[in-house]
Amino acid sequence: MIEMMKMKMMNICNNRIVVRWIVFSSFIFHLSICSASIGMQALGDSLMTWTGFSPDWCPRVRVKNLRVNGNNITVYTNGTLKDVSWNQNNIAQLKRKVSRWVLGHGNGNVSIYSTNIDIETLVTECAKAVYGPKSSAGNRSGDLTERNIVLYPSHGLYFNRERDEWIWQRAALWTTVEDLYTHEYVRLVSRMLENAGATVIMPRAGLDRHELGVSGMPQWTEGARYWLIDQKNDSAIWNLYDGDEYKDDMKCRGMWVNALDIPVDLCIALHTDGQDSGNDSTIIGTLVIYTAKDDSGHVVLRDGRDREKTNRNLADWIQTQMTNDIRRTIAPEWTRRQLREANYCESRVPVVPSIILEVLSHKNFADMKYGLDPKFRFMASRAIYKGILRYLNGINAVVQPLPVQDLGVRITDGNAQTAKAILRWKPTLDSLESSASPTYYMIYIQENDGEWDVQQVENTTEIELGLKRGIQYNFYVVAGNEGGLGFPSPMISAYLNDAEINDQMVLVVDAFNDTYGPQWFADSTYAGIVPDSYACEDGLYCAYIGAQWDYTRTHKWINDDNCGWGACYRDHAGRFTVGNTRDWSVLHGHVLRKMRKSYMSCTVGMLDDFDLQPATFYLVDYVCGRQRHPISSDNRQRISGYLDAGGQLLMSTDHFSAIDKVWAGKYLHAKYHAANATRSGRINSPRHRLYQLILEPNEEQLFTCTPEVLMPPVSATKEGKTVVYANYEDMRCPAAIGWKDSKTVNNETVSTSTLVYGFPLEAVQDFEKIYRHAIEWFKQ
Ligand SMILES: [Zn+2]
């Protein structure tokens, strides 16, 4: 029976709302509305705008049917709205908006369907936990012991039989390639999960595998197919497409997961996407893909759970955590893309909860400006770990602490045969996670180059130590709580020589805690990474493959070897790049110990714990490395007071230009003169000693890409108290400026001196030699 109904339909057109009353059968109504209605198209456009999705990477919202019955509105749409992460707040918000658009007020009774699914039913367990009423129930533990997690980087080199060549699966862009770049996230997330007790396994060789594979490249560069062969997996897992090794490589990953003889809690294929906004500022952002049916068409997982619901929930946890954390810290404009149900083999084949995570778009300049910054990758990785943790243990799970940044070791009594010292540190609080506070610390202590000794302490941020004379002690601290251990702190160090009488000491201040991405530029025609500008990585980085060479915005992708704007060389692929290794006090300490010079050390944030008196410290060695802002105004004041009292200062930095000019002139007796100080890296110093400065990415030693020319201020030159202590050979310009003077303090004549370098000493090939040479400048 055809039920007659009274219908009100509104067309939305140029913000004018036309109201018509129509009486139709629902059947005829459906047909007539479907055929053509500007109102439905405009409603679809408004819905699309509301989602924040871009038509560049997502089908537009199409309204297929709009029914209005009095105050009741029912909207039927295509599949796009299904991909939104729905929660009770955004559903209520959208319903009010639709009511306003259709009825002119926000009080309509609205139902919205996407491919015949009521959006109310798409609210995941994640959305209920994050946006629903706060509950103290649930597991608060951050422990992931007993959990087995599959997490692997995408792609990798594969053998292309047609080309008879090992090739990358994706294009080389913005100094990296997806095949290697995704290792960087997997490395960090795995370590966080393992620190919480989980077992993480993957079907590709990890970054610790240095063996060379078939291509003369390390095994970690290769796709999963070859690692699974290496690990003697059955050919039924990796030989699936009659010699198409590309397809084998994609599918073998899920086949391997299903063949594992341990219960797998979840599987994440970590990718980056290839979308391009074509401009500098539009973020493509984070997409998650899941698949509702497995390879056999089953809609349940191996353990019987509903496949779509479970996978969508996992996807929502990861994407919600990532988007929220990225927006609250580094990139407020970050884009949340779809929770997309689609048929890709990496999310289809596994019969355990599985998703494909597209962290960002490696083709898009705006995404990669963030993606090349180690701080962004750490933060995104921590969000992935937190998403996994909450999916498994609930929203109240305890998150492991951030690494301790600041610590110092202070010798309090150096006269005894066993000197007394205090090791003190500061916890790093996490503004995003109240649960991430440390509840205990692991203290690691090493004597000379021996084994690391470890002890656990609670309810304190310092310990007393006895230091034997003649031994170098190295330290680091790891914060822990119920969520497991954080990452290690920087290393610091102390040493008392074995002389009978206590000397004045050196204080080594580690002021190098920065990491950052390369510099970039943009004009209307060209844009990209500034030539010869390199990131300052956090430790070792595996994904730098070569410099960008295509800067022309209009150059389009043709194929992966001719991939247009952003294309880069590949000469560095398969090698690591070293950045900030956070062990600078130890490096300096090794040389000081050989010179039998007693020292203690701290990170820069702990300098307030030290009384900077020349009577205690005959020299402050202020280690700036590649720090972009070498000295804060607080520490300028501390150093000024110390120098005024007759102290001596050694400083080396490739960002001298960032130091306050007036202060630098008065206290460092040097001024910034020019950038790009050397191409050859050859440094001459008195008595014709030659040093080689390292200027290129490499896996052994810190390098610099911004050496600077320094000059003595005119006034200092006139006084004749400055000396050019080193020169850039090719530029014939000063690389280091020394200053010596004497002054009267409290009726006593004291000598004071400074020595400043326009590059980090740690980037000189023979660090020991140049550092000794620098120390020799100062009188003890
Ligand atoms: Zn991919």
Side-chain angles (χ1 to χ4, degrees):
M1 176 180 157
I2 296 173
E3 190 187 345
M4 301 298 286
M5 55 202 316
K6 196 177 187 183
M7 296 248 157
K8 187 168 74 171
M9 189 193 80
M10 312 187 75
N11 290 337
I12 303 162
C13 179
N14 298 332
N15 297 326
R16 270 188 30 232
I17 297 174
V18 183
V19 182
R20 283 187 282 152
W21 291 86
I22 51 173
V23 179
F24 256 24
S25 76
S26 59
F27 178 67
I28 295 167
F29 175 83
H30 177 80
L31 287 182
S32 63
I33 296 302
C34 271
S35 56
S37 164
I38 191 167
M40 292 203 297
Q41 190 182 334
L43 181 56
D45 290 347
S46 298
L47 288 166
M48 184 71 179
T49 305
W50 181 87
T51 63
F53 294 166
S54 161
D56 292 342
W57 41 257
C58 181
R60 287 187 167 281
V61 177
R62 279 189 296 111
V63 176
K64 295 180 161 182
N65 194 347
L66 172 65
R67 296 183 189 180
V68 183
N69 181 6
N71 209 35
N72 297 326
I73 305 166
T74 311
V75 187
Y76 292 92
T77 67
N78 65 342
T80 297
L81 290 181
K82 188 165 173 261
D83 294 349
V84 172
S85 166
W86 293 110
N87 62 65
Q88 59 177 36
N89 299 342
N90 63 5
I91 288 177
Q93 185 208 45
L94 184 64
K95 287 186 172 181
R96 275 196 303 277
K97 277 188 184 288
V98 169
S99 172
R100 244 179 249 123
W101 292 333
V102 177
L103 300 177
H105 64 76
N107 302 321
N109 181 20
V110 180
S111 301
I112 302 170
Y113 289 82
S114 174
T115 56
N116 295 323
I117 296 167
D118 186 340
I119 60 167
E120 298 265 4
T121 67
L122 292 168
V123 178
T124 63
E125 292 304 313
C126 163
K128 287 175 194 163
V130 174
Y131 297 97
K134 291 282 169 273
S135 156
S136 57
N139 191 353
R140 273 189 54 78
S141 167
D143 183 19
L144 296 177
T145 319
E146 314 277 311
R147 299 294 192 175
N148 298 312
I149 294 165
V150 172
L151 170 68
Y152 62 83
S154 52
H155 312 291
L157 283 171
Y158 81 101
F159 188 71
N160 183 307
R161 296 190 185 190
E162 277 173 31
R163 285 172 57 174
D164 193 27
E165 186 80 79
W166 287 80
I167 62 175
W168 299 112
Q169 295 185 26
R170 290 293 179 270
L173 286 158
W174 311 114
T175 72
T176 191
V177 63
E178 183 190 347
D179 306 47
L180 299 181
Y181 178 71
T182 47
H183 261 302
E184 281 295 324
Y185 294 90
V186 168
R187 175 173 71 92
L188 294 168
V189 181
S190 301
R191 198 166 159 198
M192 293 168 190
L193 293 170
E194 284 165 356
N195 282 356
T199 302
V200 182
I201 39 176
M202 64 181 195
R204 274 185 74 180
L207 292 173
D208 54 340
R209 306 299 302 199
H210 301 297
E211 294 88 344
L212 296 185
V214 184
S215 61
M217 295 282 272
Q219 279 187 316
W220 53 264
T221 61
E222 296 173 359
R225 185 183 190 273
Y226 311 99
W227 179 244
L228 296 182
I229 294 173
D230 188 275
Q231 297 296 297
K232 311 264 183 293
N233 284 271
D234 196 286
S235 65
I237 288 175
W238 50 262
N239 193 7
L240 306 160
Y241 288 100
D242 196 24
D244 187 333
E245 297 187 17
Y246 177 88
K247 281 178 151 178
D248 277 354
D249 184 60
M250 289 286 181
K251 189 161 180 179
C252 70
R253 299 159 191 246
M255 298 293 285
W256 166 79
V257 171
N258 292 346
L260 287 168
D261 55 6
I262 49 167
V264 173
D265 291 280
L266 60 96
C267 167
I268 297 179
L270 196 142
H271 285 249
T272 54
D273 200 13
Q275 301 288 332
D276 184 10
S277 70
N279 65 47
D280 301 354
S281 52
T282 306
I283 299 283
I284 299 285
T286 304
L287 165 72
V288 191
I289 296 168
Y290 63 94
T291 310
K293 288 181 186 168
D294 72 13
D295 237 14
S296 315
H298 294 142
V299 295
V300 290
L301 298 168
R302 181 151 61 192
D303 64 9
R305 278 182 292 172
D306 182 285
R307 193 181 160 96
E308 176 152 21
K309 267 206 169 69
T310 308
N311 287 347
R312 184 178 166 89
N313 184 38
L314 171 61
D316 205 4
W317 272 115
I318 306 295
Q319 197 191 38
T320 298
Q321 192 74 58
M322 287 184 73
T323 324
N324 285 353
D325 285 8
I326 293 170
R327 284 178 181 169
R328 281 188 290 173
T329 52
I330 291 180
E333 74 278 29
W334 197 256
T335 303
R336 181 169 189 153
R337 293 179 64 191
Q338 307 107 298
L339 287 176
R340 187 171 155 217
E341 201 284 312
N343 185 4
Y344 286 92
C345 83
E346 281 175 284
S347 51
R348 182 187 71 237
V349 176
V351 291
V352 299
S354 49
I355 56 168
I356 296 172
L357 170 60
E358 307 272 2
V359 172
L360 48 72
S361 173
H362 60 251
K363 178 87 174 76
N364 194 44
F365 187 34
D367 287 39
M368 286 309 283
K369 280 193 265 183
Y370 288 113
L372 294 176
D373 182 345
K375 285 198 288 296
F376 174 88
R377 293 195 301 269
F378 176 84
M379 212 270 306
S381 299
R382 187 165 160 90
I384 297 169
Y385 144 71
K386 282 156 62 178
I388 293 171
L389 174 67
R390 290 185 159 131
Y391 165 77
L392 292 171
N393 285 14
I395 193 164
N396 294 323
V398 174
V399 174
Q400 61 196 214
L402 287 168
V404 166
Q405 294 292 347
D406 289 310
L407 69 168
V409 56
R410 189 158 49 83
I411 295 169
T412 51
D413 178 2
N415 289 315
Q417 190 56 31
T418 299
K420 288 202 180 87
I422 290 181
L423 176 68
R424 188 173 285 166
W425 59 92
K426 294 176 185 168
T428 307
L429 298 180
D430 185 342
S431 61
L432 300 178
E433 294 297 337
S434 56
S435 76
S437 304
T439 53
Y440 66 94
Y441 297 92
M442 307 300 284
I443 314 298
Y444 289 81
I445 304 176
Q446 183 189 40
E447 293 188 14
N448 291 334
D449 303 315
E451 293 286 305
W452 286 94
D453 190 41
V454 59
Q455 54 177 287
Q456 184 173 335
V457 297
E458 282 168 35
N459 303 318
T460 184
T461 52
E462 64 175 53
I463 57 166
E464 274 193 15
L465 299 157
L467 307 185
K468 284 174 269 178
R469 299 191 77 100
I471 292 192
Q472 181 182 354
Y473 288 86
N474 303 321
F475 308 93
Y476 67 95
V477 174
V478 178
N481 64 13
E482 279 180 65
L485 294 169
F487 283 7
S489 73
M491 276 187 212
I492 56 163
S493 184
Y495 162 81
L496 274 176
N497 69 23
D498 48 13
E500 297 279 309
I501 306 157
N502 194 33
D503 292 329
Q504 282 176 293
M505 301 182 70
V506 179
L507 177 64
V508 180
V509 181
D510 177 356
F512 181 17
N513 55 27
D514 210 359
T515 62
Y516 44 91
Q519 285 185 289
W520 51 270
F521 75 97
D523 65 28
S524 56
T525 311
Y526 306 106
I529 293 156
V530 172
D532 298 322
S533 160
Y534 303 105
C536 181
E537 301 294 350
D538 195 347
L540 284 172
Y541 175 69
C542 78
Y544 174 77
I545 64 163
Q548 183 186 348
W549 57 264
D550 193 328
Y551 289 92
T552 308
R553 287 173 178 278
T554 51
H555 287 177
K556 295 284 177 224
W557 181 92
I558 309 293
N559 57 54
D560 279 356
D561 302 313
N562 185 10
C563 53
W565 183 37
C568 65
Y569 295 110
R570 308 173 193 181
D571 53 308
H572 204 275
R575 281 184 286 153
F576 287 92
T577 300
V578 72
N580 190 347
T581 49
R582 303 183 194 275
D583 57 353
W584 308 112
S585 302
V586 176
L587 180 75
H588 286 229
H590 275 305
V591 182
L592 292 172
R593 174 180 140 208
K594 284 188 188 174
M595 298 175 81
R596 298 185 70 238
K597 299 215 176 270
S598 303
Y599 69 89
M600 42 184 133
S601 64
C602 65
T603 62
V604 70
M606 214 67 191
L607 189 56
D608 55 0
D609 209 35
F610 289 75
D611 187 17
L612 287 188
Q613 295 297 333
T616 316
F617 302 111
Y618 86 93
L619 171 65
V620 171
D621 173 12
Y622 202 89
V623 186
C624 302
R626 295 180 63 190
Q627 190 78 8
R628 286 174 298 179
H629 301 287
I631 185 163
S632 67
S633 61
D634 280 0
N635 286 336
R636 281 206 306 272
Q637 268 185 15
R638 289 191 181 99
I639 296 292
S640 305
Y642 167 74
L643 291 172
D644 284 338
Q648 306 186 95
L649 180 76
L650 169 63
M651 186 186 267
S652 75
T653 169
D654 56 10
H655 283 79
F656 192 92
S657 48
I659 300 174
D660 181 85
K661 285 178 185 53
V662 176
W663 186 81
K666 184 173 175 193
Y667 284 100
L668 305 180
H669 311 285
K671 63 177 183 183
Y672 165 76
H673 184 66
N676 294 324
T678 178
R679 188 72 171 170
S680 70
R682 289 163 70 86
I683 310 252
N684 283 320
S685 67
R687 284 169 277 161
H688 305 292
R689 288 193 249 194
L690 182 75
Y691 300 105
Q692 182 61 48
L693 188 57
I694 302 169
L695 301 167
E696 297 287 331
N698 70 86
E699 35 185 71
E700 277 93 36
Q701 193 180 343
L702 187 75
F703 63 97
T704 172
C705 46
T706 53
E708 294 178 336
V709 175
L710 308 182
M711 281 287 176
V714 177
S715 57
T717 318
K718 275 187 192 152
E719 289 173 61
K721 291 169 184 167
T722 57
V723 61
V724 171
Y725 201 58
N727 257 298
Y728 295 108
E729 189 182 79
D730 44 353
M731 284 284 277
R732 298 175 186 280
C733 282
I737 307 286
W739 157 275
K740 277 194 168 139
D741 196 9
S742 58
K743 58 169 69 177
T744 307
V745 179
N746 297 335
N747 297 326
E748 260 187 71
T749 304
V750 295
S751 64
T752 173
S753 49
T754 58
L755 179 59
V756 290
Y757 288 80
F759 57 87
L761 296 179
E762 301 78 25
V764 170
Q765 209 164 51
D766 192 341
F767 166 76
E768 181 174 338
K769 194 165 83 170
I770 195 163
Y771 185 59
R772 270 175 184 270
H773 183 203
I775 295 293
E776 283 163 8
W777 167 259
F778 299 97
K779 210 166 73 181
Q780 186 170 3

